[in-house]
Amino acid sequence: MNETNTQPKDCFEIGGEDLLALSLTRSIQDSDSTKDSKTHSFPTEVLDDIRVRVGTLLKTETVSFLLGAGASVDCGGPLIGTVPLGLEQDLLGKGISGSAKPRIRRWLAIFYAAVRRCTDNMNTPITRDDIIARRETLKGNNADKLPANFEQVLATLHRWRVALLKDSGRLRLDGSPGLDAKSEDLDECLNQAMHALARACQLPNTGAEAGLSTHKTFIRKLLTRPLNLKRVNIFTLNYDTLVEQAADAEGVVLLDGFVGTQRRIFRPESYEQDLYFPAETTEGRVHRFDRVLHLYKLHGSITWTANEPSIDDPYGIQAGVFDPDEKQPLLIYPTPAKYGETLGLPYSELFRRFAAAVVRPQSVLFVIGYGFGDEHVNAIIRQALAVPSFTLVIVDPDPKSDFVKILREQKDRRVWVVTGPRIGTLKGFVDLVLPDLHDEEILKKVLATHRALTSQSAVRGENTNDD
């Protein structure tokens, strides 16, 4: 099959109508050259028109962004729809000891049992010899990824652990493969799997540092939103710290739910705070600080750790610098919406604020790099779509989920879909589509002039024909 026929095309769709294709067609028809049609480049006036439309959304009352794994790919972020090879190699390196007579640690066998339970693929290793052979295969760099969704693997391990008492117990499961695991074995398996995932999310990877510049540009453009409007909300399903690194580089304060200096503890009431600075005179008016954004990490972070609750740490949640070898439990859960995990903090509070933000009147949600695989997130977006003034913008190079398919079939003018290899990625959207609102007024004037001149030319042409 010809790959060019299956490659997704660039599309800027509103209510089922591809405005990009319409604009390009008009531009080519008005041009004396066919260069645009051959190279499929974007004429300046086409991009200007799109930026003005997106800029209008940025000026709505409540603006939120939801970032998924696709937003971190350019920095080397793992996609966990399967078991990432690097992550699996990490686990094998820590779970097999000895060389002459290798020993398989109990927790590693439990991990592969959970993988097999999440997929019908019979090639998943479960015996000692198969696991050792898998390690050798990965060393040869010719192995296929295990098809199990890594989120589901972790969720399965959590489900098994919840079935036991806190400090003791033994779980036996029939089936293929069977399971006979103690609570401490499951604890160690979960700890190793989550730390391996966290290590894979230490971004940007070597050689992918340029990807961080996109996050910096993203942050800068969000800060051009007028100060009389609500702060922009950044909701992320990722565990990495790319947003935090970009904000630090740009001198931006992130209100992320944590307070403190030496110890940063989770205090969700801090989201209600804002930053102002006084005028030059004591009688002058205070001014709102212009470098503030709200950050909500819906699935946790590699920098979050769980502690025993205390008087000065009521939720037992702290944030600090990620230690890849730290034994303290991490607070990262790929599927907190399933099996009841969201009933506890911090996830219940974070998801509550996500839902509250998107159902406000005049709210817009930009979804970038998210494959709509979390039903709990999808349910909140469905709830928001019941609000007449809500607008949803989906940015994905090649959306494949049934959720997006159904939305596109509705041809709802409140649903915008941006796809394609050039504008459907975070980098493409930030560089080509997301406007700098400091320049928006100029863009509007340019567009107004261009359209006026085009209309005058058309009128003169009609008059000439009449003569």
Side-chain angles (χ1 to χ4, degrees), residues 20 107 140 192 296 353 416:
L20 183 60
W107 65 262
Q192 292 288 349
Y296 303 81
R353 289 180 178 270
W416 301 20

Side-chain angles (χ1 to χ4, degrees), residues 453 455-465:
L453 290 174
S455 300
Q456 291 174 7
S457 298
V459 171
R460 285 197 298 270
E462 291 176 0
N463 293 337
T464 301
N465 292 335

Side-chain angles (χ1 to χ4, degrees), residues 354-367:
F354 175 46
V358 297
V359 298
R360 290 190 182 116
Q362 302 300 320
S363 176
V364 58
L365 175 65
F366 293 84
V367 179

